[in-house]
Amino acid sequence: MTPIQECLINKNTKINPVWLMRQAGRYLPEFREIRKLNPDFIKLCLNHNLSEEITLQPIKRFGFDAAIIFSDILMLPFGIGQTVQFKKNFGPSLGILELDKLQKVTNNDFSENLLPVYKLLSNLKNNKDLENRDLIGFVGAPWTLLVYMINKVSPKKGLSKEFFKDKILINETLDLLDKFIKIHIENQIKAGATIIQIFDSWAGLIQNDFDKFLYNPTLSIVNYVKSLGVPVICFPRGISDYVKFTKIVKPSMINIDYNVDPKNLIKFLDIPVQGGLDPKILLSNRENLKKQINSYLEVFRDHPYVFNLGHGILPETEIDMVYELVETVRNYK
Ligand code: 1CP
């Protein structure tokens, strides 16, 4: 059993596996080199030789306990036929949402469009660098994907009232997402993913209708992953009530963000926890980093815990700080 499965299934509190959200990416010089030669991000995600190499880069360097596939949550709208571009110093930019066109896309068309993502997984399945490690597949949560598909650009500056205006568009897009997120998950598991993580990066923007936008759609996906016999990790970033979320949605593990007070949380929580450390701590100094890591590990001494961050690692992170992080987690007694 892998260290993470040991935590998830056997509820082992003696080990602290470690991996980092967005571990395959921009803080790594070896990634930046590949990226420079591949300005089209979608094409890079569809090049299974390169995506395989990028997925393994952080494993080879740091020996993390899990590899997360190099792909993106926006590969899903791309797979259903909405245009997706990544613009330099701007982020994602999506094309018009032509619902009637997307509703005609079949399971086969979609799976064909994303074939290189599944090929990446099947190629890595028996890779010896991943021996005794998990291979994490992922999806965006329905809410977060809905936000990108309708808003077309990052909702960094919030969502306008306009966003919620067309109820039919919202409802039909949510139905479409439920269908294709499940297909994408099934394909990833069949190809070799041993865990699925659901990224709900913009869950914190939900202010009303929590059942409609957060609980019901996420529960539907979580139950589906469980029905395939694979553990599922939820990351509803920025929500105010993680306890309520876990009671309703019941993921196999919950990834907390850095605004959650872990001490208070575990009084009410009976499932394994992942993450929490503010990625900005990696921009401070070694002493502070060690102190903060140890304080998370101390809180979770008697609770199954996978060490990770409270959001993705920042591009400006120094490599040496990541070595320090791994060493500190591994040396904790
Ligand atoms: O070089 C570059 O400019 C590309 C940067 C980049 C990378 C490395 C993007 C664009 N996506 C990725 C890979 C990626 N994205 C992975 C695999 C790598 C890994 O985790 O190691 C994963 C899991 C994601 C997931 C993802 N994409 C999320 C959820 C996690 C999170 O950080 O909140 C989100 C919101 C996206 C959208 C996205 N893709 C890329 C960017 C810059 C963004 C965010 C845009 C925004 O702020 O709205």
Side-chain angles (χ1 to χ4, degrees):
M1 204 181 268
T2 65
I4 297 181
Q5 305 271 354
E6 201 35 75
C7 248
L8 274 166
I9 295 161
N10 289 344
K11 310 280 190 282
N12 189 334
T13 58
K14 298 278 173 301
I15 50 167
N16 291 120
V18 52
W19 70 279
L20 302 181
M21 289 194 283
R22 308 294 287 266
Q23 65 188 17
R26 291 178 296 184
Y27 71 108
L28 285 176
E30 56 269 38
F31 169 77
R32 279 197 228 114
E33 237 168 77
I34 293 179
R35 184 76 172 98
K36 232 182 355 204
L37 301 171
N38 295 272
D40 185 329
F41 185 74
I42 297 274
K43 275 200 188 135
L44 179 57
C45 289
L46 293 174
N47 179 330
H48 68 81
N49 290 317
L50 288 178
S51 63
E52 181 178 329
E53 188 180 336
I54 297 168
T55 300
L56 292 174
Q57 282 174 346
I59 308 303
K60 288 181 173 157
R61 241 188 209 274
F62 306 111
F64 290 126
D65 292 297
I68 181 159
I69 57 163
F70 181 77
S71 179
D72 197 88
I73 61 166
L74 298 178
M75 292 309 284
L76 191 136
F78 167 82
I80 330 176
Q82 189 175 12
T83 312
V84 181
Q85 285 179 296
F86 287 88
K87 296 179 178 163
K88 212 173 171 182
N89 304 323
F90 179 78
S93 169
L94 284 75
I96 31 172
L97 175 52
E98 296 172 280
L99 206 52
D100 32 339
K101 188 184 105 188
L102 306 198
Q103 280 165 336
K104 292 195 188 86
V105 171
T106 64
N107 181 336
N108 267 353
D109 300 331
F110 173 81
S111 302
E112 192 70 32
N113 289 344
L114 296 186
L115 214 56
V117 178
Y118 312 131
K119 178 108 173 100
L120 153 71
L121 279 154
S122 53
N123 284 353
L124 283 178
K125 199 172 163 185
N126 297 311
N127 187 298
K128 66 177 187 339
D129 288 318
L130 297 183
E131 219 170 50
N132 205 31
R133 296 190 157 90
D134 280 286
L135 182 54
I136 303 179
F138 66 88
V139 290
W143 163 256
T144 285
L145 289 178
L146 178 80
V147 164
Y148 282 110
M149 288 173 79
I150 292 185
N151 201 54
K152 317 277 195 321
V153 295
S154 175
K156 264 183 220 158
K157 297 188 183 104
L159 290 173
S160 67
K161 276 215 183 82
E162 218 27 31
F163 178 87
F164 294 96
K165 218 178 58 187
D166 191 342
K167 298 241 165 16
I168 297 173
L169 180 73
I170 286 185
N171 293 343
E172 294 196 3
T173 306
L174 281 173
D175 285 346
L176 195 72
L177 282 167
D178 185 70
K179 172 177 161 189
F180 283 104
I181 289 173
K182 286 174 180 167
I183 295 172
H184 195 35
I185 287 172
E186 187 190 8
N187 288 342
Q188 291 185 66
I189 291 175
K190 277 193 179 149
T194 59
I195 294 179
I196 295 292
Q197 178 143 339
I198 303 174
F199 288 97
D200 208 351
S201 306
W202 299 106
L205 293 177
I206 305 173
Q207 283 165 1
N208 299 299
D209 295 333
F210 286 87
D211 284 337
K212 174 175 174 156
F213 293 123
L214 181 66
Y215 299 129
N216 296 342
T218 314
L219 181 61
S220 168
I221 305 299
V222 162
N223 284 342
Y224 182 72
V225 183
K226 286 183 185 169
S227 78
L228 299 178
V230 166
V232 53
I233 307 170
C234 280
F235 179 42
R237 184 171 75 96
I239 60 166
S240 58
D241 197 342
Y242 270 86
V243 176
K244 183 171 180 194
F245 179 90
T246 59
K247 295 266 186 287
I248 296 176
V249 176
K250 299 191 186 67
S252 320
M253 178 151 77
I254 184 84
N255 195 121
I256 55 174
D257 65 66
Y258 49 84
N259 288 320
V260 173
D261 172 5
K263 236 188 233 154
N264 190 41
L265 181 80
I266 57 167
K267 283 189 227 149
F268 306 100
L269 211 69
D270 50 6
I271 61 166
V273 176
Q274 170 172 281
L277 185 82
D278 189 339
K280 284 198 204 77
I281 306 287
L282 280 159
L283 309 182
S284 66
N285 55 62
R286 283 165 189 261
E287 220 168 284
N288 185 38
L289 177 66
K290 275 191 195 167
K291 196 178 111 205
Q292 305 282 345
I293 290 171
N294 285 326
S295 80
Y296 272 96
L297 294 171
E298 200 53 48
V299 170
F300 291 105
R301 188 174 270 289
D302 300 313
H303 193 103
Y305 182 61
V306 174
F307 195 87
N308 203 321
L309 305 175
H311 196 197
I313 184 165
L314 296 162
E316 57 270 43
T317 306
E318 277 177 31
I319 299 295
D320 280 351
M321 292 293 271
V322 184
Y323 283 115
E324 185 78 42
L325 178 151
V326 175
E327 204 180 290
T328 309
V329 178
R330 300 267 189 240
N331 289 340
Y332 183 76
K333 293 249 159 46

